[in-house]
Amino acid sequence: MNISIIDEVIEQLRVMPQHLQWRVLEFARILAKSQVRGTPGQQLLPFAGSIPPDDLQLMREAIEQGCEQVDANEW
């Protein structure tokens, strides 16, 4: 089945209540006005490999120590 995104959105809108259709419309308008921010990856390629391997290892260890722990009492 080769259905376009627009057609799929229209199909979903058809089964939604009108108040949700309005929310989709508002969201689509917001997205249409938004601008993509950031730096294209192509511009970042010259920096590839510029972090020394020792620093990368330190970062990896810090992430593993700090991010792989769950504090059940935190919430």
Side-chain angles (χ1 to χ4, degrees):
M1 179 183 273
N2 191 9
I3 187 166
S4 75
I5 293 173
I6 293 173
D7 292 335
E8 180 66 24
V9 171
I10 290 170
E11 287 301 314
Q12 294 298 319
L13 285 169
R14 285 191 174 125
V15 297
M16 285 183 190
Q18 189 172 20
H19 73 280
L20 292 179
Q21 291 175 10
W22 278 108
R23 288 181 64 186
V24 171
L25 177 59
E26 290 169 9
F27 183 63
R29 286 177 174 162
I30 290 168
L31 287 178
K33 292 179 184 177
S34 67
Q35 295 179 347
V36 176
R37 298 185 324 196
T39 303
Q42 193 70 23
Q43 291 180 14
L44 299 175
L45 284 177
F47 299 103
S50 63
I51 301 175
D54 291 344
D55 289 347
L56 291 173
Q57 183 61 34
L58 289 172
M59 285 193 252
R60 182 177 294 112
E61 290 171 8
I63 290 169
E64 287 173 359
Q65 290 174 6
C67 295
E68 292 187 2
Q69 300 175 15
V70 176
D71 182 357
N73 297 318
E74 185 177 17
W75 297 93

